Every structure is written in structure tokens, then in C-alpha cells.
Amino acid sequence: MRLPIILGALLMSTAAPARDWKLVIHGGAGVIERGRMTPSRDAEVRAGLRCALDAGSAVLRGGGAALDAVEAAVKVLEDDPNFNAGRGAVFTDEGTNELDASIMDGRTRAAGAVAGATRTRNPVSLARKVMEDGRHVFLSGDGADRFSREQGLAQADPAWFATPERRRQLEEFKAKKVSHLDVEYKYGTVGAVALDDEGHVAAATSTGGITGKKWGRIGDSPVVGAGTYADDRACAVSATGAGEYFIRLGVAHEICARMRLVGESAEQAADAVVDELGKLGGTGGVIIVAPDGSAGWSFNTPGMYRGEASAAGATVAIYGDED
Ligand code: ASP
């Protein structure tokens, strides 16, 4: 199903002095409408988003680094089975969970990413290890799993990631024979962007990908420049949506480049690229934070799980019509 562009742009933009910390998170974009959410699921998702904001905010409030804050927030969402990352990841066509994640430090533009990891409890931390190790930027499959063990990261049995609801979704997906990028069958991704009180930005994204993915398919989430990018000279971005389109547009880097080279604001750059995404037929959204304190989101789906925190407080939202 192709959606009309319901929300060309929804970005709350708050200009603030450079040294006020900010955290923005997402838990995926898609056909997220009031009529499709039960009250209990609505409450669980909001509680999960709040926990993630709390974890990241605790780091930033204590004067910690944006990089630590995005990892902390994403780890909470990875452990929460309501979101498609870590525990609760969607299933591949073969009935397995293959996890993708990336992280980037805007201070140095160091980055780390993994695709098709199967054993690391928190894939975002594996991406960070890849970054800190520094020999490579992007590891995949067995190699990523081996590196994870060698680095002593917490391992999990495949059963940890698998939930009955995701298995049901795979069965429904197969029975209905719909497209992999059908927005009705996309169940999110998680991500965080942060600005710390030293003015540095960072971004992280983690996902199980898309239901029924085949042949070692890799989406945008672990692709630096597509699903994740951070550059202190521009902004930090984490994306969610139909990964194939985000890769083709280089969404996260494109937003940063527009700010840095063309001088667009965070809001202008995010809205312009999400608009272009929609024109190609892609659905999804981004979260963004810039060193000047501008922060928010832009998406073209009916809803996006999202939240924002600063010293002034925290808010979470699900539907397109919430601020
Ligand atoms: N972007 C993710 C992927 O394509 C999926 C999502 O965000 O819903 O793997």
C-alpha cells in the first residue's frame, strides 16, 4: 500500500543556547493510528519511550557525552519487546532474527556498524565496540558475532530475541504475500540523537529490519549516511522507514550536508529530505538534533513512536496529530 503524504512535515523546532542538552528518540514509524492501537499497547509503548528517555537523560543531566546517552537510550529500547530491535526484533523469511545497528560520534565522525548479528544482546553496544576498536567501520554476519564474543559483550540465546507476536506477524506476512516494504507490515526500528552540554552530537540506530527479509538483506539502519549520521558541524540524525529508499537517498548524510553546505535549518533540511523520500515512494521519518539546540522529527507516515527530553522536561508521542 502506498500512503499519501499525510504529514509532509512535523518538526518541533526549539532554538536554545548551545550548551543545553537535548535528547530525541524514536521507536519506529508506520501505520500507527489510534484505531489500530489497543489502550494497553499505547500505554506500553509510551512507558518504553519514557524509560529510554530517562536512561539517556540521566547521562546528559550528569554532564555525560552525547555518545553515551544515545547508546543508553537505544539499549533500553532494544531490551523492550515492544520495539523492533534486540528483543522483539522482526523475523526473517527463514524465521530467524538478524540484527542491524550503527552509532556515530559527531565530535570525531567516528562510526561503527553491524549487520546480521544474531547473538549480541545489545547490538548498539556491538556497533560501538566496532567504532572504538577502530580497525573497521562495518562488520556483518558471523564475523560480527565472533567479534562480539571476542570483545566480551553480553551474549543472548536466539530465543531471547524471538517473541510470539513477531512470529505471528511473519506468518501473517507470508500468508498475505505482501511486499516487504508494505508500510502495513513495517514494525519500526529504534534510534536516538543527542546534544550534550559540551555541544557535541551523536546518533545511534538499531533494528531487526523488515519482516520476512531474505538473502541477508540489510536496510538503512546500520548504513552510516543512510540510517544514521552525526557531525558536529551540522547535526545528528537517526532514521526509520523503508530502508531501501533511505539508502538510495543517503537520507541521514543528505540532511547533514544540506545544513552544512546550503545553510538550511534542521527543520528545513529534515523536511526537504523526507519530502523527497515521499516523492520516490518511500515512507518513514527521521529524528534530528543540531548543536544550536534545534531538535525534533519529520515523518510522512500516520505516526511515529517518538520522544524528546531536555532540562525542561520530557514528552512522548505516537500519532501524527500529537505535538
Ligand atoms: N529502516 C528499517 C529497515 O529498513 C526498518 C524500519 O525502520 O522500519 O531495516
Side-chain angles (χ1 to χ4, degrees), residues 65-125:
L67 189 67
D68 294 327
V70 294
E71 182 185 3
V74 167
K75 279 175 78 170
V76 169
L77 296 170
E78 285 177 338
D79 282 347
D80 186 332
N82 285 299
F83 300 95
N84 171 22
R87 186 162 176 237
V90 297
F91 281 94
T92 66
D93 187 61
E94 293 82 33
T96 56
N97 299 117
E98 293 181 3
L99 311 168
D100 302 339
S102 60
I103 192 164
M104 187 159 184
D105 186 350
R107 203 165 36 114
T108 56
R109 276 171 282 150
V114 291
T118 62
R119 291 276 178 167
T120 307
R121 173 165 169 166
N122 291 111
V124 69
S125 299

Side-chain angles (χ1 to χ4, degrees), residues 29 84 100 186-189 207 209-210 217 219-221 239-244:
N84 171 22
D100 302 339
K186 294 196 9 45
Y187 300 103
T189 276
T207 191
I210 52 176
R217 179 264 188 194
D220 60 311
S221 308
T240 173
E244 280 67 7

Side-chain angles (χ1 to χ4, degrees), residues 118-183:
T118 62
R119 291 276 178 167
T120 307
R121 173 165 169 166
N122 291 111
V124 69
S125 299
L126 178 55
R128 181 158 181 180
K129 275 282 183 212
V130 173
M131 181 184 95
E132 284 170 349
D133 178 75
R135 281 173 287 182
H136 303 296
V137 168
F138 201 172
L139 302 183
S140 69
D142 289 347
D145 286 344
R146 217 171 331 125
F147 177 77
S148 174
R149 283 195 303 278
E150 285 170 18
Q151 296 294 314
L153 287 173
Q155 303 292 295
D157 188 83
W160 163 259
F161 303 109
T163 63
E165 173 58 10
R166 296 299 189 207
R167 208 175 278 286
R168 186 199 64 72
Q169 288 168 357
L170 175 67
E171 277 155 21
E172 184 179 302
F173 171 84
K174 284 185 169 179
K176 291 197 176 165
K177 294 193 170 65
V178 289
S179 151
H180 287 89
L181 293 182
D182 188 326
V183 71

Side-chain angles (χ1 to χ4, degrees), residues 2 60 93 99 113 157 180 194 196 209 216-217 222 246 251 254 313 315:
R2 274 262 333 254
L60 295 164
D93 187 61
L99 311 168
D157 188 83
H180 287 89
D196 62 31
R217 179 264 188 194
F246 284 73
V251 163
E254 175 93 350
T315 57

